[in-house]
Amino acid sequence: MTTAYAQRRVAPAPPAARRSPAGPVLAVLWAGAAALIALWWHDTGSVVGTAGWLTGAGRIAGLLCGYACAVLVGLMARVPLLERRIGADRVTRWHARAGRYTVCLLVAHIVLILLGYAAQDGSSFLDEALTVVLDYPEMLKATAGTVILFAVGIVSARAVRRRVAHEFWYYLHLLTYAAIFLAFGHQLALGSDFTGNGPAQAAWYALYLGVAALVVWFRILAPVRLNLRHRLRVDSVHREAPGVYSVVIAGRRLDGMGVLPGQFLRWRFLTEGMRWTSTPYSLSAPPRPGLLRITVKALGDHSAAVSLLRPGTRVWAEGPYGALTADRQTSHKSLLIAGGAGITPLRALFETLPGDVTLLYRARTNEDLALGGELEAVARWRGARVLYALNGPDGRRPDLSARSLRAAVPDLDTHDVYLCGPHGFARDLYEALRAAGVPDRRIHHESFEL
């Protein structure tokens, strides 16, 4: 063991497995979109001519875009039902995909509406655009909101985001709230589906106010309450491997945080150069009385600075988040597959997950095996297995195909599999596991691409 933090625990009895609410949540979201289409259908008597078809299509795109904006914010409100039951990484992927749809709907709404109005008035597209922006109520604010949304969309594109600092992307992303606020007024002032329709207006207000309440509660009030109650501070920092450090964090009444092995929190260290960045790190060991531990690999300026933290540094945390927990377990046999930094949540599960447990750890070399001593010690006292998948002497990558996985774990299809690592690694292993006969419902995975 590398730190005094580690200690032996007895694995608990298997909990009752809980089904993910992802299906019902998606059904509710799609039902909302269907209700908007029904609203348009009810309010539209007939569609006549090119102008009518263009305007009608623009109205549908606008309704769906306004709805998608509320959904986008709701998905990132860090609601526990989503973050802890469905999984933060999965919800983030939903958010990213919905964001692309929203931008497309926004473009369609603007172009179709302006083309429809121009055809109706017999004017050019540009003249109609100037008239709408300058003369229609609430449109100057809506135009400003649209510009902000386009800027957020451009910076969030994968090719662009890789080239900008995380802090710049994060704080620009927060302007989405301002953009939606600016655009809200024109929806009710100009939307023919809302004009004179009291129930529709009430439902729209309820949607947006409900999402706003979720944001205020879970992104502002809940973190403030957590940090005032628990008073987190850095207790110590320990080197685990080249470029890998563990940070032990002390606090008050930490048992009341409800954090489980396999989950993560978003951490903000209140020291020079780190206070403006909130970064997700998983617990790398089960919570101890008064102590939590994270293990960080230096992959950028912020993670590299973790090694320089001093005892007593104040910590601001948000969470816990993540669904990679023991209550997903459906079998008494489990295989944990970790790639790179994915070892941190699986290290905590390896100690606490009930039943027969095997851990497969993918790393490049022996020197990259962070927490290896702890893993071996845990394996000895609980009678578990640790398997390593390292590059060969010539740098050749190990075989992690369906055949090799079945050879390492002959009854693999009877196991729950917990999978965590970089997105590409998790995707490839997921496909190999499915080819090896593991049912989708038994593969529980999170990837580090938040």
Side-chain angles (χ1 to χ4, degrees):
M1 301 283 181
T2 54
T3 74
Y5 179 91
Q7 66 184 52
R8 180 175 301 186
R9 290 175 57 130
V10 178
R18 293 194 298 174
R19 292 182 62 85
S20 169
V25 169
L26 287 176
V28 169
L29 295 180
W30 282 112
L36 289 175
I37 302 297
L39 174 65
W40 173 84
W41 182 271
H42 179 269
D43 291 339
T44 303
S46 61
V47 180
V48 179
T50 301
W53 283 104
L54 289 171
T55 304
R59 284 171 53 199
I60 293 174
L63 285 170
L64 293 176
C65 181
Y67 175 68
C69 286
V71 170
L72 281 177
V73 175
L75 288 175
M76 287 292 98
R78 297 178 184 167
V79 180
L81 173 68
L82 304 179
E83 299 277 334
R84 303 177 191 177
R85 296 288 307 282
I86 296 175
D89 70 326
R90 189 175 183 183
V91 173
T92 299
R93 289 195 294 273
W94 287 0
H95 174 82
R97 188 178 300 117
R100 292 189 287 271
Y101 294 152
T102 303
V103 171
C104 292
L105 288 168
L106 179 59
V107 172
H109 170 62
I110 294 170
V111 172
L112 292 170
I113 283 289
L114 291 178
L115 285 174
Y117 287 179
Q120 179 178 305
D121 297 339
S123 62
S124 69
F125 182 88
L126 180 58
D127 288 341
E128 194 66 38
L130 290 174
T131 299
V132 169
V133 171
L134 298 177
D135 297 341
Y136 282 39
E138 299 286 341
M139 278 306 303
L140 282 175
K141 291 194 296 183
T143 301
T146 299
V147 171
I148 295 172
L149 282 177
F150 278 136
V152 173
I154 291 170
V155 174
S156 297
R158 185 170 298 180
V160 178
R161 185 176 173 184
R162 290 172 178 170
R163 291 171 170 79
V164 301
H166 174 79
E167 291 81 2
F168 176 79
W169 170 85
Y170 176 78
Y171 287 109
L172 180 63
H173 217 69
L174 290 180
L175 291 177
T176 302
Y177 299 131
I180 293 174
F181 174 78
L182 289 170
F184 181 78
H186 96 285
Q187 299 174 34
L188 298 180
L190 299 176
S192 57
D193 298 289
F194 297 112
T195 304
N197 189 336
Q201 290 186 14
W204 207 244
Y205 271 113
L207 172 65
Y208 273 77
L209 290 175
V211 169
L214 293 177
V215 171
V216 170
W217 182 260
F218 291 112
R219 296 206 64 159
I220 299 175
L221 299 181
V224 168
R225 176 180 179 273
L226 181 149
N227 287 278
L228 289 177
R229 182 182 184 189
H230 299 294
R231 305 284 182 175
L232 301 173
R233 293 182 181 273
V234 173
D235 181 80
S236 57
V237 179
H238 307 271
R239 183 179 183 275
E240 304 287 1
V244 180
Y245 290 83
S246 285
V247 182
V248 179
I249 298 165
R252 303 186 306 184
R253 297 181 287 181
L254 296 187
D255 55 332
M257 288 182 66
V259 60
L260 301 174
Q263 290 188 311
F264 68 91
L265 295 94
R266 288 179 167 86
W267 305 92
R268 191 186 302 271
F269 299 101
L270 304 184
T271 186
E272 187 68 26
M274 301 182 75
R275 67 178 69 249
W276 298 111
T277 302
S278 176
T279 308
Y281 295 125
S282 301
L283 295 190
S284 61
R288 312 298 190 206
L291 297 175
L292 302 173
R293 190 186 73 177
I294 60 175
T295 300
V296 179
K297 182 176 179 63
L299 298 174
D301 293 342
H302 184 272
S303 53
V306 166
S307 64
L308 305 177
L309 288 171
R310 297 190 176 188
T313 300
R314 294 182 61 190
V315 181
W316 183 273
E318 300 175 39
Y321 306 119
L324 203 67
T325 55
D327 57 14
R328 303 283 295 276
Q329 192 178 35
T330 63
S331 169
H332 281 269
K333 296 181 179 181
S334 299
L335 171 64
L336 315 182
I337 305 179
I343 189 59
T344 51
L346 297 191
R347 153 65 183 92
L349 281 174
F350 189 52
E351 183 173 333
T352 58
L353 200 62
D356 181 3
V357 180
T358 300
L359 171 65
L360 174 60
Y361 187 178
R362 167 74 178 105
R364 285 179 296 180
T365 66
N366 274 306
E367 290 73 23
D368 295 320
L369 294 174
L371 308 174
E374 293 185 15
L375 296 174
E376 295 288 350
V378 171
R380 283 194 296 271
W381 68 256
R382 69 169 297 169
R385 288 196 302 161
V386 182
L387 308 176
Y388 300 106
L390 307 177
N391 290 355
D394 58 353
R396 183 176 302 175
R397 298 167 65 89
D399 178 18
L400 292 177
S401 63
R403 182 177 62 180
S404 66
L405 291 173
R406 283 196 301 264
V409 186
D411 55 345
L412 180 59
D413 59 332
T414 67
H415 284 60
D416 278 292
V417 180
Y418 288 79
L419 172 61
C420 192
H423 180 68
F425 169 84
R427 182 191 62 242
D428 293 344
L429 264 294
Y430 175 83
E431 293 173 356
L433 289 164
R434 293 293 288 122
V438 182
D440 179 76
R441 68 181 184 279
R442 287 189 173 177
I443 303 176
H444 320 299
H445 57 94
E446 286 186 347
S447 62
F448 291 147
E449 196 181 54
L450 301 183

